[in-house]
Amino acid sequence: MKRLFRRSRAIFPVAPWPDSPPPRALSMLADGTNPIHRLLDDWRLPRHETRAQLTARLGLSPGGLSHREMLALPEAIRLAGALEPWTADGSDRIPPQFPIGRFSSVVWFEDDAHANLRRIAGDLATKLGPAPTGQHWNTLVAAWRAGTARISLIAWPPELQPSDLAIDAEKRDPRLRTACHVHVETGYCLPLSSQERDWVAGFRPIRMAGSVGTERMAKAGTAAAHETELEYVRDPSGLVADRQGRMGLSADGRALIVVSNQLYVMPRASILRLDVTRLTRAKGAGGSSLRAICRTQAPGTDGLSVHVAQSSDPDGMTALAEDLGAGLGCPVSIGPYEPDC
């Protein structure tokens, strides 16, 4: 066993990285299918059934390891060492009309975070190949990526955590202190409709002082969308390579287009208002941000907030918001100055 342990350490080295270890990038299979999707189907994760359909069939399960309302998926095949069935977020802030885009599991074999991560990484390596594994801040991580689909592992070794850290879930189940969390992102998003494709192909970028989205965002088409944003995220394939980090209106003025970490297409009729937040220098550097508040079918919120742009100047987004509001015919709310605490 000691010899096997030394071998697994050699195959999956756990060393500090200046940034998170890069995911193993996977190519599509010979038949054009996504290898991560193929594995999810082997695990019987319901990535095609809508959240509404699954919730109606299975219901939400309060409690469990997280003590939050979750959608438990007992029909999916559990990973070796899983402490509970696969789960999905049960938040009512997620629109229910789309397939679930994120699944989670927690695995534990022994009271050693390093060993637990190495074990599940080894199991996945037999199916997807080995991924770089290492320490990032106070965690151990590894990941595989194919397109916008991703499988990520993360563990929090107790020796890397603050000595006074107290987590209620770990008090209820001490195994969580050294467990490895497995997160799946399917990368689901809607393709562009014919109308939306015309809007994106002909949209007129607006020059602005500031930056689109938030700083250091990934490029559109390289990361899975947040499930709360699926109503307005679209597949950008082949349409926005030369417009990354830009925003503007469609040629007919009927939609707001934002190309940041995702491609956002927001029809004028779906935008309730534009909100500007203004922060003055305090503990933080201050600045301003512009968000579009859009209609949503998520029952737990009155509107979805999409981050449009930001500026280091507290007044940097005001004129842009007013111009966009005039072009879209929607209300604009300019917030009061508040200290950046």
Side-chain angles (χ1 to χ4, degrees):
M1 289 299 293
K2 288 182 179 178
R3 188 176 305 154
L4 179 60
F5 175 79
R6 285 196 296 270
R7 182 173 180 271
S8 103
R9 291 279 291 195
I11 296 175
F12 305 108
V14 177
W17 289 70
D19 203 345
S20 182
R24 180 185 177 102
L26 304 173
S27 301
M28 297 299 157
L29 300 175
D31 61 0
T33 58
N34 186 305
I36 289 180
H37 289 168
R38 174 76 63 83
L39 182 57
L40 304 188
D41 293 342
D42 290 344
W43 289 341
R44 299 179 190 169
L45 286 172
R47 64 184 184 90
H48 298 293
E49 205 168 348
T50 69
R51 180 177 296 273
Q53 291 169 331
L54 283 166
T55 302
R57 183 161 62 84
L58 300 174
L60 295 178
S61 303
L65 296 174
S66 68
H67 270 221
R68 295 184 293 117
E69 279 206 329
M70 304 294 288
L71 183 61
L73 305 166
E75 299 164 352
I77 295 175
R78 292 196 191 194
L79 299 174
L83 297 180
E84 63 179 357
W86 283 96
T87 60
D89 193 341
S91 172
D92 61 2
R93 300 181 69 85
I94 300 174
Q97 66 269 34
F98 303 108
I100 290 174
R102 282 172 163 79
F103 302 95
S104 298
S105 183
V106 182
V107 298
W108 186 93
F109 301 97
E110 58 183 282
D111 194 28
D112 182 332
H114 298 259
N116 289 325
L117 185 134
R118 282 196 305 272
R119 172 70 180 272
I120 189 64
D123 289 348
L124 288 171
T126 64
K127 302 173 177 65
L128 301 174
T133 304
Q135 178 183 328
H136 178 55
W137 299 106
N138 63 331
T139 66
L140 304 177
V141 295
W144 293 257
R145 179 179 65 82
T148 55
R150 183 182 177 103
I151 298 177
S152 304
L153 309 180
I154 184 168
W156 286 265
E159 68 272 14
L160 298 181
Q161 312 312 312
S163 58
D164 60 348
L165 184 65
I167 299 176
D168 290 341
E170 293 178 358
K171 293 178 182 177
R172 294 190 297 268
D173 190 338
R175 294 176 297 179
L176 293 176
R177 295 176 65 248
T178 54
C180 180
H181 296 251
V182 183
H183 300 290
V184 167
E185 301 168 55
T186 69
Y188 172 85
C189 74
L190 288 173
L192 289 159
S193 68
S194 175
Q195 174 66 84
E196 291 168 342
R197 182 170 290 274
D198 289 343
W199 283 342
V200 173
F203 97 90
R204 298 173 296 189
I206 294 175
R207 291 175 178 252
M208 50 168 282
S211 58
V212 173
T214 60
E215 292 180 358
R216 300 186 65 182
M217 275 186 165
K219 290 185 177 181
T222 61
H226 292 294
E227 289 186 293
T228 56
E229 299 181 329
L230 289 175
E231 287 161 306
Y232 299 101
V233 171
R234 296 294 183 268
D235 182 355
S237 299
L239 283 174
V240 299
D242 61 340
R243 301 189 183 193
Q244 186 65 42
R246 308 190 77 177
M247 52 82 63
L249 299 179
S250 59
D252 59 9
R254 292 171 55 199
L256 174 62
I257 313 294
V258 177
V259 188
S260 56
N261 63 318
Q262 302 291 338
L263 168 60
Y264 297 94
V265 181
M266 293 166 275
R268 178 175 61 191
S270 297
I271 300 175
L272 299 172
R273 68 182 187 277
L274 300 176
D275 280 357
V276 173
T277 300
R278 299 187 293 178
L279 299 176
T280 56
R281 182 184 295 273
K283 291 182 180 179
S288 56
S289 62
L290 169 62
R291 292 178 177 272
I293 311 302
C294 301
R295 302 181 192 278
T296 176
Q297 292 187 41
T301 179
D302 293 331
L304 168 66
S305 175
V306 176
H307 195 118
V308 175
Q310 66 177 8
S311 170
S312 58
D313 181 351
D315 293 311
M317 290 289 102
T318 301
L320 174 62
E322 291 172 342
D323 289 345
L324 281 176
L328 291 165
C330 68
V332 176
S333 173
I334 308 297
Y337 295 111
E338 298 178 353
D340 187 0
C341 298

